[in-house]
């Protein structure tokens, strides 16, 4: 509101000096002139010394003015107000002054037009007869007076001060509206700027100053049509501003909503003023007056409706419009010679128009708060949209990086890789050197400590380990927090290090949290914290997905009891070996636990399951990473030995047998002795598929059992 106050003060500073100067001269300007006798052939054209023109078709008046000029050095002038007359000409005995007019002023009059002033010949005294010729197509009633030169100057000064005071006020409103529009982006201020500009033109036209401006002589050649065109254009624009200000589109009254069409009709009538048809020209006075009255009446109706709907300044606007209506009526009565020609009757409608303009501006300015609120909402929405877009782009890139990182990660490295990538992303986002994730029981990790860097234990990691209890407490919250930590406790000391702790959602009783050092005293903004929460959510989601995929793959490929490959996976692995073009050496071992049924019968199935797990672990410990071990069914195991020929495979098979025989398997305080029988077969060039190789290994296993068990048998060439 301080801006509005400055604007109002500026308006007063510009307008008050002119108005004050005008009213300071009112008393001096009321000096009495010489008695003037007006002689005219048409009695109905005179009213107490005023020449009446009814308007319409151009009317001419030729009158004689009889005046007795006193003897002396005083300069006398014929003066009357600058009413809209087409032609004025003054002459006397043996002299004549240049012709002038409202629409075509002479260049000698300049821009400071206040009335019609004709200096009588210097030194002339005694009875004089002046001939005054006038013609006008507009309704007016000029009153010729003979005044001293200094009195004329005072009259002219008053008229100019009042006129330029009105101009100053309107110009100030125009500048203020143009200045506010870029700031608030409300179309009403742009429309109001157009309104004040048209009001300036209308006031200049009413005072006759418009037609004295350079380049406007051709426009003045239109005569009365130029005046009515300006009036109707201004009426259309002014009515549009009031209807917009009153927000008639949201009115509940259909009649009020129809007022929006009235400015269009006025524009059409304004264009008719330019058509040089006598029938139209003769009625310009009637059309123009009706347009002016209709515009004011429609404005009052719209603002009365707006008053019921709570439009700001509606009541003040209605009062100002009523004042404008009264002042306009007084001006019309003055032009009909019904009332005296005075300051208020001549200029009252201009003052009222300025008052309406100021009230409209103040009312429009009261919408700045609403506009600012709307702009703030739009700006906030735009920022939120930009933040969401930026976050989405960051999230998309982070998701892609996370997928690439976890695609081939083993189960025991998924948490480390995922959270290290999270910490690096956080460091890039905040411009930090380090960030970490601390947790327990997350994704199978007993103690989870992941840093952005590859160094072993950073200062941040040391602080986190010391304050593990504090981090755990906040990790179980739902929202991120800022805390100052000193040692293992929360501190209220402003000099203590400050951290942002962002909880990472994990299945209870596991917990994890992102820990970020914060330098700013006010901490991280809510938007930044939300981004960290989102990044943490994405990291956990992809890590859990990758971990679950591995577990699911294990479930599909591995035997749940022994943790070795199941039969389906073994068949697929063996089929892949046979499909390889560069057929390398390949051997298979069929392994069967000896007397396994006796173990189940004597010790129970639980002991049998324990023995199966122990044998699988013993076998797995003796194999290479690229060898395949699986449970083929019951107590049978199958070992694939890619790259091993028969001799090497025989050695491996014997080592496996010995390790199982030497293994100590305890059950309920006792030892369960186990041995295995092994059948081995190596791929031959004639082997085209896996079943052939497996069949030979199975026969070799049968031979080992037949020969007494706890031994290795190699499939001889005779086995087919």
């Amino acid at each position: 509101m301080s801006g509005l106050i400055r604007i109002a003060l500026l308006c007063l500073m510009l307008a008050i000096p002119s108005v004050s100067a005008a009213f300071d001269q009112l008393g001096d300007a009321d000096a009495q002139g010489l008695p003037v006798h007006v002689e005219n052939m048409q009695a109905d054209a005179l009213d107490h010394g005023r020449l009446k023109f009814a308007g319409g078709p151009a009317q001419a008046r030729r009158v004689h003015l009889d005046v007795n000029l006193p003897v002396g050095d005083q300069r006398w002038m014929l003066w009357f107000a600058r009413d809209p007359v087409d032609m004025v000409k003054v002459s006397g005995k043996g002299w004549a002054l240049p012709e002038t007019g409202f629409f075509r002023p002479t260049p000698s009059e300049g821009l400071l037009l206040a009335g019609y002033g004709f200096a009588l010949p210097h030194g002339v005294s005694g009875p004089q007869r002046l001939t005054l010729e006038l013609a006008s197509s507009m309704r007016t009633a000029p009153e010729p007076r003979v005044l001293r030169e200094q009195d004329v100057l005072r009259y002219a000064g008053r008229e100019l001060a009042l006129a330029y005071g009105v101009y100053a006020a309107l110009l100030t409103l125009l500048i203020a509206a143009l200045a506010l529009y870029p700031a608030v982006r409300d179309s009403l201020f742009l429309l109001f700027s157009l309104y004040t500009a048209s009001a300036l033109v209308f006031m200049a036209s009413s005072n006759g100053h418009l037609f004295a401006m350079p380049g406007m002589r051709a426009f003045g050649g239109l005569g009365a049509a130029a005046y009515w065109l300006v009036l109707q254009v201004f009426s259309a624009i002014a009515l549009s501003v009031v209807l917009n200000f009153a927000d008639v589109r949201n009115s509940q009254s259909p009649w009020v909503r129809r007022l929006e069409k009235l400015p269009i009709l006025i524009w059409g009538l304004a264009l008719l003023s330019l058509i040089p048809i006598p029938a139209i020209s003769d009625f310009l006075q009637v059309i123009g007056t009706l347009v002016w009255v209709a515009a004011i009446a429609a404005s009052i109706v719209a603002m009365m409706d707006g008053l019921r709907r709570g439009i700001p300044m509606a009541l003040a606007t209605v009062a100002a419009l009523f004042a404008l209506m009264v002042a306009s009526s007084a001006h019309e009565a003055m032009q009909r010679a019904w009332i005296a020609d005075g300051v208020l009757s001549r200029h009252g409608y201009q003052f009222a128009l300025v008052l309406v303009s100021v009230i409209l501006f103040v009312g429009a300015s009261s919408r700045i708060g609403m506009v600012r609120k709307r702009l703030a909402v739009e700006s906030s929405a735009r920022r939120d949209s930009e933040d969401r877009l930026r976050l989405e782009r960051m999230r998309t890139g982070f998701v892609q990086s996370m997928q690439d990182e976890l695609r081939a990660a083993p189960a025991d490295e998924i948490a480390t890789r995922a959270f290290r990538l999270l910490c690096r992303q956080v460091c890039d986002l905040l411009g930090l050197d380090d960030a970490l994730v601390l947790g327990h029981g997350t994704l199978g990790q007993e103690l989870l400590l992941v840093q952005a860097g590859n160094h072993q234990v950073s200062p941040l990691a040391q602080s986190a380990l010391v304050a593990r209890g504090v981090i755990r407490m906040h990790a179980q919250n739902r929202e991120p927090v800022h805390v100052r930590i000193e040692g293992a406790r929360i501190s209220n000391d402003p000099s203590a290090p400050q951290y942002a702790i962002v909880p990472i959602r994990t299945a209870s009783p596991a917990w994890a949290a992102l820990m970020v050092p914060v330098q700013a005293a006010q901490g991280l903004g809510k938007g930044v914290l939300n981004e960290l929460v989102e990044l943490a959510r994405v990291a956990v989601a992809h890590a859990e997905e990758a971990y679950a995929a591995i577990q699911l793959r294990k479930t599909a490929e591995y035997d749940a009891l022994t943790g070795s490959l199941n039969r389906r996976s073994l068949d697929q692995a063996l089929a892949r070996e046979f499909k390889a073009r560069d057929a390398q050496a390949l051997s298979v071992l069929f392994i069967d636990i000896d007397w396994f049924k006796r173990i189940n019968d004597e010790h129970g199935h639980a002991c049998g399951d324990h023995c199966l797990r122990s044998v699988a672990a013993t076998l797995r410990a003796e194999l290479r990473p690229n060898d395949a071990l699986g449970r083929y069914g019951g107590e049978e195991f199958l070992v694939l030995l890619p790259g091993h020929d028969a001799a090497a495979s025989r050695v491996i098979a014997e080592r496996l047998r010995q390790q199982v025989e030497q293994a100590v398997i305890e059950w309920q305080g006792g030892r369960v002795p186990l041995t295995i029988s092994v059948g081995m077969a190596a791929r031959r060039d004639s082997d085209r598929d896996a079943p052939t190789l497996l069949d030979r290994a199975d026969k070799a296993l049968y031979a080992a059992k037949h020969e007494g068990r706890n031994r290795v048998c190699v499939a001889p060439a005779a086995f087919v």
Side-chain angles (χ1 to χ4, degrees):
M1 292 301 292
S2 60
L4 294 179
I5 294 174
R6 287 195 295 268
I7 292 172
L9 290 176
L10 177 61
C11 180
L12 291 175
M13 289 172 62
L14 291 174
I16 287 177
S18 299
V19 176
S20 299
F23 280 94
D24 285 344
Q25 300 181 55
L26 282 179
D28 295 336
D30 288 338
Q32 296 296 322
L34 296 177
V36 178
H37 174 71
V38 182
E39 180 181 332
N40 187 272
M41 299 301 296
Q42 296 175 304
D44 61 341
L46 287 174
D47 191 339
H48 296 87
R50 299 175 64 179
L51 306 179
K52 296 172 58 177
F53 294 88
Q59 297 176 331
R61 296 282 188 271
R62 182 185 177 91
V63 297
H64 297 298
L65 306 178
D66 294 321
V67 60
N68 187 16
L69 298 178
V71 178
D73 295 333
Q74 183 67 50
R75 188 73 179 269
W76 295 90
M77 298 184 67
L78 176 63
W79 165 267
F80 53 92
R82 199 164 190 88
D83 291 313
V85 293
D86 297 5
M87 182 273 293
V88 181
K89 186 176 181 181
V90 179
S91 61
K93 185 177 180 180
W95 57 272
L97 298 177
E99 177 183 325
T100 186
F102 185 82
F103 301 103
R104 291 185 177 180
T106 60
S108 61
E109 292 181 276
L111 297 177
L112 302 177
L113 305 176
Y116 301 98
F118 302 94
L120 301 181
H122 187 67
V124 177
S125 62
Q128 300 291 324
R129 167 161 285 200
L130 309 179
T131 301
L132 178 61
E133 298 180 51
L134 300 96
S136 178
S137 56
M138 295 180 61
R139 182 182 294 113
T140 185
E143 180 183 2
R145 303 172 65 187
V146 177
L147 302 172
R148 294 181 180 88
E149 185 177 30
Q150 58 268 30
D151 292 335
V152 171
L153 293 177
R154 292 192 183 98
Y155 271 112
R158 182 193 71 179
E159 295 296 313
L160 289 175
L162 293 174
Y164 286 114
V166 171
Y167 298 159
L170 292 175
L171 184 60
T172 302
L173 294 176
L174 172 61
I175 295 173
L178 289 175
L180 285 176
Y181 172 71
V184 297
R185 294 294 180 183
D186 189 343
S187 59
L188 178 59
F189 286 96
L190 196 60
L191 186 59
F192 187 82
S193 301
L194 181 61
Y195 158 78
T196 50
S198 62
L200 276 169
V201 175
F202 171 56
M203 292 293 99
S205 172
S206 300
N207 296 323
H209 297 155
L210 177 67
F211 308 107
M213 295 181 180
M216 297 302 295
R217 191 169 184 82
F219 183 63
L222 296 175
Y227 175 85
W228 297 118
L229 174 63
V230 171
L231 172 63
Q232 292 174 87
V233 169
F234 169 71
S235 299
I237 296 175
L239 181 57
S240 298
V241 170
V242 174
L243 296 180
N244 188 296
F245 178 72
D247 195 17
V248 295
R249 291 185 179 180
N250 294 322
S251 173
Q252 297 179 354
S253 170
W255 293 100
V256 175
R257 292 197 298 270
R258 290 193 185 101
L259 292 177
E260 281 194 305
K261 299 179 181 179
L262 187 56
I264 300 176
L265 176 61
I266 295 176
W267 278 105
L269 294 175
L271 294 177
L272 288 177
S273 303
L274 299 175
I275 301 177
I277 299 177
I280 296 177
S281 301
D282 293 345
F283 285 96
L284 285 179
Q285 176 96 21
V286 177
I287 296 174
T289 303
L290 289 177
V291 164
W292 177 256
V293 173
I296 298 177
S299 298
I300 292 175
V301 171
M303 291 310 303
M304 290 291 289
D305 182 78
L307 178 62
R308 289 192 295 271
R309 290 183 287 113
I311 298 298
M313 302 298 292
L315 180 60
T317 306
V318 170
L321 287 171
F322 271 113
L324 178 61
M325 179 71 80
V326 172
S328 299
S329 301
H331 183 76
E332 180 68 16
M334 184 270 295
Q335 295 289 15
R336 294 174 180 267
W338 293 351
I339 61 176
D341 183 356
V343 174
L344 294 180
S345 60
R346 178 170 291 276
H347 300 287
Y349 76 99
Q350 298 185 11
F351 302 151
L353 184 60
V354 171
L355 178 62
V356 171
S357 303
V358 171
I359 293 175
L360 286 176
F361 178 76
V362 173
S365 299
S366 65
R367 293 171 47 170
I368 293 178
M370 294 184 292
V371 173
R372 284 181 176 175
K373 183 177 180 180
R374 174 176 57 82
L375 292 177
V377 171
E378 293 176 356
S379 178
S380 177
R382 184 169 58 253
R383 285 195 302 270
D384 291 343
S385 178
E386 293 173 353
D387 290 342
R388 285 194 298 270
L389 180 60
R390 181 174 60 84
L391 183 60
E392 185 61 29
R393 289 176 178 173
M394 180 183 64
R395 180 181 177 277
T396 301
F398 184 57
V399 167
Q400 185 61 49
S401 301
M402 189 68 67
Q403 291 174 346
D404 295 341
E405 183 72 20
L406 301 181
R407 183 174 290 115
D412 58 347
E413 294 185 14
I414 286 178
T416 301
R417 293 191 183 187
F419 291 129
R420 176 168 288 120
L421 191 61
L422 168 64
C423 292
R424 290 174 178 173
Q425 184 71 33
V426 170
C427 288
D428 292 341
L429 176 65
L430 303 180
L432 300 175
D433 296 329
D434 198 10
L436 64 80
V437 172
L438 182 65
H440 175 79
T442 304
L443 299 177
Q445 300 289 322
E446 182 69 19
L447 174 63
L448 179 66
L449 177 61
V450 182
Q451 305 166 209
N454 294 320
H455 42 272
Q456 300 220 352
V457 180
S458 66
L460 178 63
Q462 294 175 359
S463 301
L465 290 173
V466 173
R468 181 180 177 186
V470 174
I471 298 174
R472 177 180 180 179
M473 178 183 65
H474 289 292
Q476 295 171 345
N477 295 333
R478 297 185 59 86
E479 300 296 333
V481 295
H482 291 93
V483 294
R484 293 189 180 275
I485 300 176
E486 190 169 12
R489 298 188 307 173
I490 298 176
S491 174
N492 294 324
D493 186 357
S495 62
Q498 183 178 209
Y499 303 93
I501 299 179
V502 180
I504 296 178
R505 303 284 181 248
T506 57
S508 181
W511 61 269
L514 171 67
M515 185 176 181
V516 178
V518 178
Q519 301 298 329
Q522 67 273 19
L524 302 178
K526 184 177 180 181
V528 176
L529 290 176
N530 290 338
E531 293 178 5
L532 298 184
V533 171
E534 176 63 15
L535 289 175
R537 187 195 66 78
V538 171
V540 170
H542 281 78
E544 290 180 344
E545 182 180 349
Y547 191 79
I550 291 179
Q551 299 304 317
L552 181 62
R553 188 163 59 249
K554 284 184 177 180
T555 302
E557 297 179 357
Y558 290 84
D559 176 60
L561 178 63
T562 63
S564 57
L565 295 174
N566 56 27
R567 179 168 181 171
R568 177 173 174 272
S569 299
L570 287 169
D571 290 339
Q572 291 176 346
L574 191 57
R576 286 195 299 269
E577 292 293 336
F578 269 85
K579 287 182 180 179
R581 292 184 179 180
D582 51 342
Q584 60 177 349
L586 174 66
S587 298
V588 297
L589 306 179
F590 245 134
I591 301 174
D592 184 82
I593 300 177
D594 298 330
W595 310 112
F596 187 73
K597 184 177 183 303
R598 183 185 301 173
I599 294 174
N600 281 332
D601 293 341
E602 293 180 0
H603 301 283
H605 288 282
C607 179
D609 292 344
H610 177 65
C611 292
L612 286 173
R613 287 192 293 269
S614 299
V615 170
T618 302
L619 296 176
R620 191 181 301 111
E622 297 297 324
L623 296 175
R624 303 173 306 169
N626 59 332
D627 297 336
L629 167 68
R631 185 184 178 193
Y632 208 67
E635 68 274 15
E636 292 182 343
F637 291 88
L638 183 66
V639 177
L640 306 183
L641 300 173
H644 288 77
D645 57 13
S649 299
R650 173 64 186 267
V651 174
I652 294 174
E654 185 61 31
R655 187 172 70 247
L656 294 176
R657 185 196 66 78
Q658 293 176 0
Q659 291 297 323
V660 172
E661 185 180 17
Q662 297 171 4
V664 178
I665 302 175
E666 296 182 351
W667 178 256
Q668 295 181 349
R671 178 181 176 183
V672 181
L674 287 179
T675 61
I676 59 174
S677 299
V678 182
M680 190 214 78
R683 182 169 58 183
R684 301 179 303 190
D685 294 340
S686 59
D687 291 338
R688 296 299 179 188
D689 53 22
T692 303
L693 179 61
L694 290 177
D695 184 62
R696 288 192 292 110
D698 185 53
K699 289 180 179 180
L701 174 62
Y702 179 78
K705 286 182 171 290
H706 184 70
E707 293 177 6
R709 293 180 171 81
N710 191 22
R711 68 189 63 243
V712 177
C713 271
V714 178
F719 287 177
V720 295

